[in-house]
Amino acid sequence: MQATKTPVLEAVNISKSYGEKQVLADVSFSAEEGEFVCIVGPSGTGKTTLLRTLSALGTANSGEVRVNGTAITRPPAEVSVVFQDYSRSLMPWMRVGKNIELPLRRYKLSPAERATRVTEALRDVGLEHAKDLYPWEMSGGMQQRAAIARSLAYRPQVLIMDEPFASVDAQTRADLEDLMLDIRARLGVTIVLVTHDIEEAVYLGDKVIVLSGRPASVSATVDVPLGRTRDQISTKSRPDYLELRAKIHAMIMQSPSSVSG
Amino acid sequence: MVPARRLLAGRWGSPLAAQLAVVAVLLVIWQITAGLGQLGAVPTPVEVGRALLAIFASGAVWEPLGTTLAGWAISLLLAVVVGIVVGFPLGTSRLAYRLSVFTLDFLRTIPALVLVPLVVLLYGSGLESTILLAFLGAVWAVIMQTIYGARDVDPTALQTFMSFRVRRWDTVRFLLVPTALPYIATGVRLAAAICLLVTISAQVVIPAGGLGEQILTAQLGGAVPTMYAYIFLCGALGVGANAAFGKLEAKALAWHPSHRKVAA
């Protein structure tokens, strides 16, 4: 995909080591406005490290992350993170509405404006009735929806998601995947989703970044020409979907995992 | 915890009824053995009950009770405030914690009552002395619990706050304090018990007024049932304080897993 505009989020030659152990080697990719980018790689390839760098929660040893062309050194207002562990990312001592309001406190919003943002965000994720519940009064899927709502109310340009559906059951997972496609379509937000699930990556992504090797590097960037409207059953039975899935699977299997370096 | 309580409730009606039954049985055994003169100087529960009624009827109980309650409340308040103020910085700074942990461990193992001679020398035998002793006995519990609480901030929660660029003060208010609160509540409950114990013990040992001195006076005057009446009153205070703090805690920490009304 040849970009003429500046990408919303761009990783440029990111390398990261913990002491002697290098985790990321020269990772580069970019996400255009409104694009759904999935980063896929087997467990332990440094996906979480990459995500921490992308959101400036951790620093890289070399390379930089750019948001709208500007290198970032601390968490930017344009980026919001949805963590895998929603039960620890939502505060159990605050009701859902208050959890969603928390990031808005730093902005000078009137109480009415704040309330509107909370209501809209809850509606966007289908949790209109949950404002006054505590997170622990809801199912896992609902809690992750609440965490997504909190990010939406913050109005980021980019949503970074770290294995967001790894701890929910299959049906809920499918629902949440479709919710994210729907949110991208309606709100035009750019989504970067990290997952170990190839099927999920191909189903959701406009583009799949394949991470492999130790230290991890980008072994391929695969465009997913399945259109923007997807369906759990019909998309997943299309021959081109299956072909892409197999292709990425093969890439991950073939990659030298421990003999590199 | 819950299953055990249910089990007990299922067999014995309610845990409270079962506990009261145990108390009643013990009272009966006490009455019979003391009545037969098998317990030496120990009076029967009936005699103790009569003495208890008498100290209330004559009004003799109010002044010492007030002194004990005042000493207890003031020392507890001081221990809680100082404990939290000292504990938070020590808990949030790894360096401060490492530097102070040895000193803290050393100081908190000194029993408050060994300081009686020193404190009496400095402050005499008034209320200040029992307050200082109780404070010195209890402040460590609050400090340690506050440190544990402040150190327990969840890394994912902290990253969430960082990624949303939540302001420092809001991070203290909405992350650090709520995380530490359950620990502090435990510290306060411990401190309440310690303050009551040390206050009454100091009142006996110094002697420094209050229920403690009444126990001593009754013993010296040979009014054994009255002595037991005061001892009983001290026990009742402890039970009452513990129950009150438990209730307060359940209300303030309704979100906490140990107090939740709805299962997650």
Side-chain angles (χ1 to χ4, degrees):
Chain A
M1 205 181 278
Q2 209 59 285
T4 46
K5 289 192 294 181
T6 318
V8 181
L9 182 77
E10 197 178 4
V12 187
N13 302 324
I14 304 272
S15 295
K16 172 77 180 176
S17 307
Y18 291 109
E20 291 286 289
K21 196 181 165 220
Q22 192 177 7
V23 183
L24 300 173
D26 259 345
V27 175
S28 298
F29 74 92
S30 66
E32 313 297 327
E33 189 169 358
E35 200 174 20
F36 206 135
V37 177
C38 291
I39 299 174
V40 68
S43 303
T45 34
K47 296 192 300 280
T48 298
T49 305
L50 176 60
L51 180 138
R52 284 172 51 86
T53 313
L54 289 178
S55 50
L57 289 170
T59 52
N61 296 103
S62 65
E64 60 185 28
V65 176
R66 294 182 197 143
V67 172
N68 296 317
T70 313
I72 58 164
T73 52
R74 59 180 78 183
E78 293 83 4
V79 174
S80 181
V81 184
V82 175
F83 294 88
Q84 176 186 341
D85 198 344
Y86 43 78
S87 67
R88 298 197 292 162
S89 177
L90 294 169
M91 305 304 125
W93 44 83
M94 295 164 101
R95 293 175 197 276
V96 169
K98 291 288 171 199
N99 263 291
I100 296 174
E101 253 186 65
L102 179 71
L104 305 180
R105 292 178 57 83
R106 62 173 293 123
Y107 298 118
K108 285 202 182 70
L109 297 174
S110 70
E113 246 175 308
R114 235 187 244 179
T116 313
R117 280 216 198 179
V118 173
T119 315
E120 279 177 7
L122 282 169
R123 204 178 50 217
D124 283 334
V125 300
L127 282 183
E128 294 87 342
H129 55 286
K131 185 169 147 275
D132 293 323
L133 293 178
Y134 282 104
W136 39 268
E137 292 176 307
M138 315 194 298
S139 68
M142 285 171 77
Q143 289 182 49
Q144 193 57 298
R145 276 172 196 264
I148 293 166
R150 179 176 57 186
S151 281
L152 293 178
Y154 187 65
R155 307 237 168 119
Q157 270 181 286
V158 187
L159 214 53
I160 294 182
M161 310 182 83
D162 179 17
E163 300 261 5
F165 315 133
S167 3
V168 296
D169 62 84
Q171 180 56 47
T172 308
R173 183 182 188 127
D175 290 344
L176 288 171
E177 286 170 357
D178 289 335
L179 172 72
M180 293 324 295
L181 286 171
D182 177 51
I183 282 173
R184 191 272 305 268
R186 277 187 295 135
L187 308 178
V189 64
T190 306
I191 300 174
V192 175
L193 185 141
V194 175
T195 179
H196 66 271
D197 184 334
I198 298 164
E199 191 171 317
E200 179 169 87
V202 177
Y203 177 66
L204 290 175
D206 299 320
K207 177 160 100 187
V208 176
I209 315 282
V210 183
L211 277 190
S212 62
R214 275 166 211 262
S217 57
V218 177
S219 59
T221 301
V222 182
D223 283 321
V224 183
L226 295 172
R228 288 215 161 177
T229 326
R230 313 221 176 153
D231 178 86
Q232 291 283 355
I233 294 160
S234 65
T235 304
K236 285 185 178 174
S237 46
R238 278 170 62 162
D240 42 357
Y241 167 84
L242 295 169
E243 205 174 296
L244 277 170
R245 203 182 75 177
K247 186 175 143 192
I248 293 171
H249 198 104
M251 282 177 196
I252 288 177
M253 297 295 281
Q254 278 165 11
S255 73
S257 54
S258 53
V259 281
S260 75
Chain B
M1 192 176 72
V2 173
R5 186 180 282 186
R6 290 229 178 95
L7 197 71
L8 205 64
R11 277 191 87 170
W12 302 98
S14 83
L16 185 66
Q19 280 162 1
L20 288 178
V22 171
V23 172
V25 169
L26 288 176
L27 280 175
V28 168
I29 295 171
W30 177 13
Q31 177 70 40
I32 291 168
T33 46
L36 292 169
Q38 298 295 311
L39 291 178
V42 179
T44 65
V46 172
E47 287 172 307
V48 174
R50 239 184 251 133
L52 196 61
L53 283 178
I55 57 172
F56 274 97
S58 69
V61 72
W62 300 118
E63 200 261 294
L65 182 63
T67 306
T68 296
L69 284 177
W72 174 62
I74 297 170
S75 58
L76 177 60
L77 188 70
L78 284 175
V80 169
V81 171
V82 172
I84 290 174
V85 169
V86 172
F88 258 115
L90 292 183
T92 45
S93 155
R94 202 170 278 244
L95 180 70
Y97 177 73
R98 284 212 190 127
L99 290 176
S100 59
V101 66
F102 176 76
T103 314
L104 280 176
D105 277 338
F106 178 76
L107 289 174
R108 74 193 173 110
T109 47
I110 299 175
L113 287 179
V114 306
L115 300 170
V116 163
L118 175 69
V119 171
V120 170
L121 264 182
L122 292 173
Y123 298 100
S125 60
L127 192 59
E128 302 98 308
S129 287
T130 68
I131 289 172
L132 184 59
L133 287 165
F135 166 79
L136 289 174
V139 71
W140 314 109
V142 185
I143 292 180
M144 295 315 288
Q145 286 297 318
T146 307
I147 290 176
Y148 296 146
R151 283 162 68 88
D152 195 44
V153 168
D154 186 278
T156 301
L158 188 61
Q159 287 193 353
T160 303
F161 272 65
M162 281 163 61
S163 76
F164 283 119
R165 303 175 305 137
V166 177
R167 289 199 172 116
R168 185 176 292 265
W169 172 238
D170 279 348
T171 306
V172 170
R173 246 180 95 187
F174 297 110
L175 181 58
L176 193 57
V177 170
T179 300
L181 220 49
Y183 292 85
I184 294 175
T186 304
V188 171
R189 211 145 31 87
L190 287 171
I194 297 169
C195 280
L196 192 62
L197 288 178
V198 176
T199 299
I200 294 169
S201 308
Q203 285 171 346
V204 175
V205 174
I206 294 178
L211 296 177
E213 187 170 345
Q214 292 305 311
I215 293 171
L216 188 68
T217 313
Q219 187 239 335
L220 292 175
V224 177
T226 309
M227 180 184 86
Y228 277 94
Y230 278 112
I231 292 175
F232 173 84
L233 207 54
C234 293
L237 272 186
V239 172
N242 204 36
F245 279 102
K247 272 245 158 66
L248 200 69
E249 195 182 312
K251 209 166 178 124
L253 299 175
W255 55 268
H256 195 268
S258 60
H259 296 296
R260 280 175 197 170
K261 295 217 172 63
V262 188

